[in-house]
Amino acid sequence: MAQPGTARGAGSRPGRARPRSVSVKDVAATAGVSIGTVSNVLNRPDRVAAGTRAKVEAAMTELGFVRNESARQLRAGRSSAVAYVMLDATNPFFTDVARGIELTAEKADLSVFICNSGNRPEREHAYLDRLEQQRVQGILITPIDPADPMLAEVAARGIPVVLVDRTSDVARHCSVAVDDVSGGELAARHLLELGHERIAFVGGPASLGQVRERLDGARRAVASAGLPQDRLTVLVSAELTVAEGRHAAQLLAGLPASQRPTGAVCANDMVALGLLQQCVTLGLRVPDDLAIVGYDDIDFAAAATVPLTSVRQPRLQLGETAADLLIDEASNPDHQHRQVVFTPELVVRGSTRRPA
Amino acid sequence: MAQPGTARGAGSRPGRARPRSVSVKDVAATAGVSIGTVSNVLNRPDRVAAGTRAKVEAAMTELGFVRNESARQLRAGRSSAVAYVMLDATNPFFTDVARGIELTAEKADLSVFICNSGNRPEREHAYLDRLEQQRVQGILITPIDPADPMLAEVAARGIPVVLVDRTSDVARHCSVAVDDVSGGELAARHLLELGHERIAFVGGPASLGQVRERLDGARRAVASAGLPQDRLTVLVSAELTVAEGRHAAQLLAGLPASQRPTGAVCANDMVALGLLQQCVTLGLRVPDDLAIVGYDDIDFAAAATVPLTSVRQPRLQLGETAADLLIDEASNPDHQHRQVVFTPELVVRGSTRRPA
DNA sequence: GGCCGAGTTTGAAACCTTTCAACGAAGGGA
DNA sequence: TCCCTTCGTTGAAAGGTTTCAAACTCGGCC
């Protein structure tokens, strides 16, 4: 079998030096055609005579030719990839968003680089740097801070940046998000419509925009049901974890039954699951003593001891739409930035029911 | 502010044509030095006189210069990135492995591309193709089929391939895995040592090597406890899901108490959680009526209604070691392939106890 | 004053692919 | 027979970076 670059001879080190990889030049030499023809076989096979094409293809297989993407990109001026910088790879929500992005990108014949900032700003910055150096077609990102000036700088240098699950007040990027106010409203209204008249909201910290908005939604639902706001008990948690949900259950169980809320809206499913589990442990029946609504509809929500009613966000669609916006921005000269907001949907399961 | 490539003038289309990005050439022109000097500022700043360096750096900032990674790679012959092709991005196990890989790669100043095959062979192949075209330094992969000839081909073309959480019978790649036999043994032995004498193994399908080995381990534990193998009831499930775990609970609950196992070893935590939840629903107490051991120690294991005893695999370390092996293979001419096998560890929680 | 060497800077080549104008050959029509 | 077309193929240039031998500058020394 022919070796690439035989002119080089045995190379410098006698050991296991990595052999230069096979290039179009090697293929052309083996097939007895010019470099241009090899390139045509790769990019416009219809312009090459059948016999020639066969010869070239045979040479490629024989030599084990693999296109050099760097050289292609250099010539093309940009890569055929986009990137998604995600906030937290261990959160199923974001992996589903990523899947949506991949689906759309695949259709447009783009690769997707998934990068995980893991909530660390320095890693986010390092990835943005690298991606810009790679000349990616565009960057999808769920940023740690949507107002980070670096995002604006990258965009200013001509690389499309789309915010995912976040909004930007300035219309400098496209963005795709889900309406958290209406999600919170949806959850609370469901309980109110079932006849619950005392409701708890469990979640925090208040510094999270998403938590604040979901709570606002719940308040709005209480108001439009014509009930006074003191019917909504707010239990602020330190974070959105199972442990904090359990803690909330302790607090609720400690209340006299006459004052205890009969329904709870949780800021996410982890909290809801903790609440649910601890209620079971403490002997509070779900949904009879306490109806529970979660948020996110993670897979575990449906699989809990009592299947959890939850607010579902269109995760896949979030990713798909974000990728669509990015592709438009990258390829359409008349692109206009858009802020897309999805409406969440309620999935009713066994954890909610008319109060006993 | 100076524009790159002013010679080009207003370009072809009047609209918002993407401007050519700034190159070393532009920087050199602005700073009034040669291209070589700019390159030296980037790569060997100590060889450049302080004044010159300052001029060049000023020009870079002024023009917004960003290195072109394609051109660097083309010159260097390979990229400064490695890739991890993971089997299932929605499984927390793999995202933790990925984190371990990132940790190690970061230290070696390598980027990591995370690719998700999602258990689909055609996507795995597409990613392998792309990665090879990118000339990555090496590929870490949890393959759908460790015997896939494509892995051998890639390796034969000189790209290091390391198998993660899988082993290869042929010593063609390095591999990193966890000893599933000893994990299964660990779980079963724990129950036996607590005094359980009838044990169930729940998991499947049998086509999964991991399931088979965990079962083998359980069998071994039963044997070394001096008990006959019929004390081990094997419930083969169709897949490793919560739903299948629930199903197993139905089967167990249907047995007369005298024959019913008092302890269960599950092939993973999802199955264990389903088993646990359905037991609670059916009124079987855990751990009093049935002690349960899971496998993987996912975060939800500790957060279940009854915290789950589980077999923990060193996920982070798995990734770190795999990356170390890859880096060695890519840079050390005397590299020898190695098959590293980790030993899992048992985490005891509330779901196991001495039988009533 | 001329020479040497250290410290800087330069210019050109190389990496591999794609593109495109131009060339050659073959076939058809006048 | 000659010209025109069409189809295939070629050769060279371009894209941005890195590397390296060569050139240059300056100070010091003989």
Side-chain angles (χ1 to χ4, degrees):
Chain A
M1 196 187 272
Q3 279 299 314
T6 39
R8 290 233 164 166
S12 43
R13 259 175 298 169
R16 42 204 332 299
R18 192 192 304 268
R20 215 194 80 230
S21 60
V22 180
S23 77
V24 278
K25 197 147 87 182
D26 303 312
V27 175
T30 304
V33 298
S34 77
I35 289 179
T37 299
V38 177
S39 182
N40 280 335
V41 169
L42 288 168
N43 302 297
R44 304 186 221 61
D46 48 303
R47 293 203 197 157
V48 181
T52 315
R53 202 188 318 152
K55 260 194 310 185
V56 172
E57 279 163 355
M60 286 186 184
T61 329
E62 185 196 338
L63 299 176
F65 170 75
V66 177
R67 258 183 176 167
N68 185 322
E69 186 62 25
S70 315
R72 296 189 76 192
Q73 281 182 28
L74 176 57
R75 187 71 234 271
R78 57 181 183 168
S79 81
S80 62
V82 298
Y84 176 41
V85 182
M86 66 172 149
L87 192 60
D88 176 11
T90 63
N91 184 334
F93 177 82
F94 293 115
T95 56
D96 280 349
V97 171
R99 227 152 41 84
I101 292 170
E102 283 175 338
L103 285 173
T104 297
E106 197 171 4
K107 281 183 212 142
D109 225 5
L110 294 168
S111 325
V112 181
F113 298 144
I114 304 288
C115 312
N116 175 27
S117 72
N119 239 316
R120 282 164 47 198
E122 77 278 11
R123 284 186 32 124
E124 183 179 288
H125 284 184
Y127 273 124
L128 286 174
D129 265 339
R130 290 219 213 235
L131 293 169
E132 207 179 343
Q133 293 178 10
Q134 307 260 2
R135 299 292 191 274
V136 292
Q137 296 233 354
I139 297 175
L140 298 142
I141 183 169
T142 303
I144 296 167
D145 170 16
D148 189 329
M150 186 159 182
L151 296 174
E153 287 165 26
V154 173
R157 280 190 287 265
I159 298 192
V161 172
V162 174
L163 303 187
V164 179
D165 197 38
R166 293 290 183 276
T167 47
S168 169
D169 26 350
V170 197
R172 190 187 297 125
H173 320 288
C174 286
S175 72
V176 182
V178 181
D179 185 345
D180 283 308
V181 176
S182 101
E185 190 176 359
L186 210 54
R189 185 161 10 114
H190 170 62
L191 291 176
L192 293 166
E193 283 175 358
L194 284 174
H196 294 271
E197 297 191 334
R198 288 190 309 281
I199 293 182
F201 178 91
V202 186
S207 58
L208 279 181
Q210 327 236 313
V211 172
R212 279 201 311 274
E213 296 185 356
R214 288 168 195 179
L215 175 55
D216 282 351
R219 289 212 169 100
R220 192 191 287 182
V222 170
S224 46
L227 292 175
Q229 286 294 330
D230 64 7
R231 296 299 183 84
L232 185 68
T233 307
V234 179
L235 299 177
V236 179
S237 66
E239 35 172 26
L240 296 174
T241 58
V242 172
E244 288 288 323
R246 287 181 182 276
H247 180 62
Q250 300 284 5
L251 295 180
L252 286 175
L255 294 175
S258 60
Q259 289 173 28
R260 191 164 54 221
T262 58
V265 172
C266 298
N268 88 356
D269 279 346
M270 308 292 281
V271 171
L273 289 172
L275 181 61
L276 170 60
Q277 289 165 358
Q278 193 65 10
C279 282
V280 171
T281 305
L282 295 174
L284 273 181
R285 290 165 306 158
V286 176
D288 303 274
D289 296 324
L290 185 71
I292 299 179
V293 184
Y295 207 111
D296 278 352
D297 192 32
I298 64 177
D299 286 344
F300 273 98
T305 313
V306 179
L308 199 63
T309 294
S310 189
V311 177
R312 175 187 295 166
Q313 313 194 58
R315 297 173 261 191
L316 228 59
Q317 213 184 334
L318 211 60
E320 289 172 337
T321 309
D324 278 332
L325 288 174
L326 186 71
I327 292 170
D328 186 67
E329 183 168 352
S331 57
N332 175 5
D334 302 323
H335 173 82
Q336 297 293 328
H337 288 324
R338 283 199 294 146
Q339 322 288 322
V340 176
V341 178
F342 283 103
T343 305
E345 146 196 31
L346 188 75
V347 181
V348 178
R349 299 203 184 84
S351 72
T352 53
R353 188 190 297 168
R354 191 162 294 283
Chain B
M1 194 188 271
Q3 279 300 314
T6 39
R8 292 230 166 169
S12 42
R13 259 175 300 169
R16 42 205 332 299
R18 191 193 304 268
R20 214 195 81 231
S21 60
V22 180
S23 78
V24 277
K25 199 147 84 181
D26 303 312
V27 174
T30 304
V33 299
S34 78
I35 289 180
T37 299
V38 177
S39 182
N40 279 336
V41 170
L42 288 168
N43 301 299
R44 305 188 220 58
D46 49 303
R47 293 205 196 156
V48 181
T52 315
R53 202 188 319 150
K55 262 194 309 184
V56 172
E57 279 164 354
M60 285 185 184
T61 326
E62 183 196 339
L63 299 176
F65 171 74
V66 177
R67 255 181 176 165
N68 185 321
E69 184 63 24
S70 314
R72 296 190 76 192
Q73 280 182 29
L74 175 56
R75 185 71 234 267
R78 59 184 182 162
S79 81
S80 62
V82 300
Y84 176 42
V85 182
M86 67 172 147
L87 193 60
D88 176 10
T90 63
N91 184 334
F93 176 82
F94 293 115
T95 57
D96 281 349
V97 170
R99 227 153 39 85
I101 292 171
E102 283 174 339
L103 285 172
T104 297
E106 198 172 3
K107 280 183 214 143
D109 223 5
L110 293 168
S111 326
V112 182
F113 297 144
I114 304 288
C115 312
N116 175 27
S117 73
N119 239 315
R120 283 163 47 198
E122 77 277 11
R123 287 190 24 131
E124 183 179 289
H125 284 183
Y127 273 123
L128 286 174
D129 266 338
R130 291 221 212 234
L131 293 169
E132 208 179 343
Q133 293 178 11
Q134 308 261 4
R135 299 291 192 274
V136 291
Q137 297 234 353
I139 297 175
L140 297 142
I141 183 170
T142 304
I144 297 167
D145 170 16
D148 188 330
M150 186 160 182
L151 295 174
E153 287 167 24
V154 172
R157 281 190 286 266
I159 298 192
V161 173
V162 174
L163 303 187
V164 179
D165 197 39
R166 294 289 184 276
T167 47
S168 168
D169 27 349
V170 196
R172 189 188 297 125
H173 321 287
C174 286
S175 71
V176 182
V178 181
D179 187 344
D180 283 308
V181 175
S182 100
E185 190 175 1
L186 210 54
R189 186 163 7 115
H190 170 62
L191 291 176
L192 294 165
E193 284 175 357
L194 284 174
H196 294 271
E197 297 192 333
R198 289 190 310 280
I199 293 183
F201 179 92
V202 185
S207 59
L208 279 181
Q210 326 236 311
V211 172
R212 280 201 311 274
E213 295 186 358
R214 289 169 195 179
L215 175 55
D216 282 352
R219 288 212 170 100
R220 193 192 285 182
V222 169
S224 46
L227 293 174
Q229 285 294 328
D230 63 7
R231 296 297 183 85
L232 185 69
T233 308
V234 179
L235 299 177
V236 178
S237 67
E239 35 174 25
L240 296 175
T241 58
V242 172
E244 288 288 324
R246 287 180 182 277
H247 181 63
Q250 301 283 2
L251 295 179
L252 287 175
L255 294 175
S258 60
Q259 288 174 30
R260 190 164 54 220
T262 58
V265 172
C266 299
N268 85 359
D269 280 345
M270 307 292 281
V271 171
L273 288 173
L275 180 61
L276 170 60
Q277 288 164 359
Q278 192 67 10
C279 282
V280 171
T281 305
L282 295 174
L284 273 181
R285 290 165 306 160
V286 176
D288 303 275
D289 296 325
L290 185 72
I292 300 178
V293 185
Y295 208 111
D296 279 352
D297 192 32
I298 64 177
D299 287 343
F300 272 98
T305 312
V306 179
L308 200 62
T309 295
S310 190
V311 177
R312 176 187 295 166
Q313 313 193 59
R315 297 174 261 191
L316 228 59
Q317 212 183 338
L318 211 60
E320 289 172 337
T321 308
D324 278 332
L325 289 173
L326 185 71
I327 291 169
D328 186 68
E329 183 168 353
S331 56
N332 175 5
D334 302 324
H335 173 82
Q336 297 293 327
H337 289 323
R338 284 198 293 148
Q339 322 287 322
V340 177
V341 177
F342 284 102
T343 306
E345 143 196 33
L346 189 74
V347 182
V348 178
R349 298 203 185 84
S351 71
T352 52
R353 188 191 297 167
R354 192 162 295 283

Short mmCIF file of all heavy atoms in Angstrom, two decimals, chain A residues 233-254:
data_model
loop_
_atom_site.label_atom_id
_atom_site.label_comp_id
_atom_site.label_asym_id
_atom_site.label_seq_id
_atom_site.Cartn_x
_atom_site.Cartn_y
_atom_site.Cartn_z
N THR A 233 -49.33 31.47 50.68
CA THR A 233 -48.22 31.41 51.63
C THR A 233 -46.93 31.20 50.84
O THR A 233 -46.81 30.23 50.10
CB THR A 233 -48.39 30.21 52.58
OG1 THR A 233 -49.68 30.28 53.16
CG2 THR A 233 -47.32 30.22 53.65
N VAL A 234 -45.96 32.10 51.00
CA VAL A 234 -44.72 31.95 50.25
C VAL A 234 -43.62 31.37 51.15
O VAL A 234 -43.28 31.96 52.17
CB VAL A 234 -44.26 33.30 49.68
CG1 VAL A 234 -42.94 33.12 48.92
CG2 VAL A 234 -45.33 33.87 48.77
N LEU A 235 -43.13 30.21 50.79
CA LEU A 235 -42.02 29.60 51.53
C LEU A 235 -40.76 29.77 50.68
O LEU A 235 -40.60 29.12 49.65
CB LEU A 235 -42.29 28.12 51.77
CG LEU A 235 -43.54 27.79 52.60
CD1 LEU A 235 -43.74 26.28 52.72
CD2 LEU A 235 -43.44 28.40 53.99
N VAL A 236 -39.89 30.67 51.10
CA VAL A 236 -38.69 30.94 50.32
C VAL A 236 -37.61 29.92 50.67
O VAL A 236 -37.24 29.78 51.83
CB VAL A 236 -38.17 32.37 50.59
CG1 VAL A 236 -36.90 32.62 49.77
CG2 VAL A 236 -39.23 33.39 50.24
N SER A 237 -37.11 29.22 49.67
CA SER A 237 -36.06 28.23 49.92
C SER A 237 -34.71 28.82 49.52
O SER A 237 -34.64 29.80 48.79
CB SER A 237 -36.34 26.95 49.14
OG SER A 237 -36.23 27.21 47.76
N ALA A 238 -33.67 28.21 50.03
CA ALA A 238 -32.33 28.71 49.74
C ALA A 238 -31.88 28.32 48.34
O ALA A 238 -31.13 29.03 47.68
CB ALA A 238 -31.33 28.18 50.76
N GLU A 239 -32.32 27.16 47.87
CA GLU A 239 -32.00 26.75 46.52
C GLU A 239 -33.08 25.79 46.04
O GLU A 239 -33.96 25.41 46.82
CB GLU A 239 -30.61 26.11 46.44
CG GLU A 239 -30.24 25.31 47.67
CD GLU A 239 -28.96 24.52 47.52
OE1 GLU A 239 -28.10 24.93 46.72
OE2 GLU A 239 -28.84 23.48 48.18
N LEU A 240 -32.98 25.40 44.78
CA LEU A 240 -34.02 24.56 44.21
C LEU A 240 -33.62 23.09 44.27
O LEU A 240 -33.31 22.47 43.26
CB LEU A 240 -34.30 24.99 42.76
CG LEU A 240 -34.84 26.42 42.62
CD1 LEU A 240 -34.95 26.82 41.17
CD2 LEU A 240 -36.21 26.53 43.30
N THR A 241 -33.64 22.53 45.47
CA THR A 241 -33.18 21.16 45.64
C THR A 241 -34.22 20.30 46.35
O THR A 241 -35.16 20.81 46.97
CB THR A 241 -31.90 21.12 46.49
OG1 THR A 241 -32.18 21.73 47.75
CG2 THR A 241 -30.76 21.86 45.81
N VAL A 242 -33.99 19.01 46.28
CA VAL A 242 -34.87 18.07 46.97
C VAL A 242 -34.86 18.35 48.47
O VAL A 242 -35.91 18.36 49.13
CB VAL A 242 -34.41 16.62 46.69
CG1 VAL A 242 -35.18 15.63 47.53
CG2 VAL A 242 -34.56 16.29 45.21
N ALA A 243 -33.68 18.62 49.00
CA ALA A 243 -33.57 18.84 50.44
C ALA A 243 -34.42 20.02 50.88
O ALA A 243 -35.11 19.97 51.91
CB ALA A 243 -32.10 19.10 50.82
N GLU A 244 -34.42 21.09 50.08
CA GLU A 244 -35.22 22.25 50.44
C GLU A 244 -36.71 21.95 50.35
O GLU A 244 -37.51 22.50 51.10
CB GLU A 244 -34.86 23.43 49.52
CG GLU A 244 -33.48 24.03 49.81
CD GLU A 244 -33.46 24.81 51.12
OE1 GLU A 244 -34.46 25.47 51.43
OE2 GLU A 244 -32.44 24.75 51.84
N GLY A 245 -37.06 21.07 49.44
CA GLY A 245 -38.46 20.66 49.35
C GLY A 245 -38.89 19.90 50.59
O GLY A 245 -39.98 20.11 51.14
N ARG A 246 -38.01 19.03 51.06
CA ARG A 246 -38.31 18.28 52.29
C ARG A 246 -38.50 19.25 53.46
O ARG A 246 -39.39 19.09 54.30
CB ARG A 246 -37.14 17.36 52.64
CG ARG A 246 -37.00 16.15 51.74
CD ARG A 246 -35.81 15.32 52.22
NE ARG A 246 -35.59 14.17 51.37
CZ ARG A 246 -36.24 13.01 51.50
NH1 ARG A 246 -37.14 12.88 52.45
NH2 ARG A 246 -35.99 12.02 50.67
N HIS A 247 -37.63 20.22 53.50
CA HIS A 247 -37.67 21.20 54.57
C HIS A 247 -39.04 21.91 54.57
O HIS A 247 -39.67 22.11 55.61
CB HIS A 247 -36.54 22.21 54.38
CG HIS A 247 -36.48 23.26 55.42
ND1 HIS A 247 -36.27 22.99 56.76
CD2 HIS A 247 -36.62 24.61 55.33
CE1 HIS A 247 -36.27 24.12 57.44
NE2 HIS A 247 -36.49 25.12 56.60
N ALA A 248 -39.49 22.27 53.38
CA ALA A 248 -40.78 22.95 53.28
C ALA A 248 -41.91 22.07 53.81
O ALA A 248 -42.87 22.56 54.42
CB ALA A 248 -41.04 23.33 51.82
N ALA A 249 -41.77 20.77 53.56
CA ALA A 249 -42.81 19.85 54.06
C ALA A 249 -42.89 19.90 55.58
O ALA A 249 -43.98 19.89 56.17
CB ALA A 249 -42.49 18.43 53.59
N GLN A 250 -41.75 19.98 56.22
CA GLN A 250 -41.71 20.08 57.69
C GLN A 250 -42.48 21.31 58.13
O GLN A 250 -43.29 21.27 59.07
CB GLN A 250 -40.26 20.17 58.19
CG GLN A 250 -39.38 19.00 57.82
CD GLN A 250 -39.64 17.76 58.67
OE1 GLN A 250 -40.55 17.74 59.49
NE2 GLN A 250 -38.86 16.72 58.43
N LEU A 251 -42.20 22.42 57.45
CA LEU A 251 -42.87 23.67 57.82
C LEU A 251 -44.38 23.56 57.67
O LEU A 251 -45.15 23.95 58.55
CB LEU A 251 -42.35 24.83 56.95
CG LEU A 251 -40.87 25.19 57.12
CD1 LEU A 251 -40.49 26.35 56.20
CD2 LEU A 251 -40.58 25.56 58.58
N LEU A 252 -44.78 22.99 56.53
CA LEU A 252 -46.22 22.88 56.27
C LEU A 252 -46.88 21.95 57.28
O LEU A 252 -47.98 22.23 57.79
CB LEU A 252 -46.46 22.38 54.84
CG LEU A 252 -46.19 23.40 53.74
CD1 LEU A 252 -46.35 22.75 52.36
CD2 LEU A 252 -47.14 24.59 53.85
N ALA A 253 -46.21 20.84 57.56
CA ALA A 253 -46.80 19.87 58.48
C ALA A 253 -46.95 20.45 59.88
O ALA A 253 -47.81 20.04 60.66
CB ALA A 253 -45.92 18.61 58.53
N GLY A 254 -46.11 21.44 60.17
CA GLY A 254 -46.15 22.05 61.49
C GLY A 254 -47.34 22.99 61.69
O GLY A 254 -47.67 23.36 62.82
#
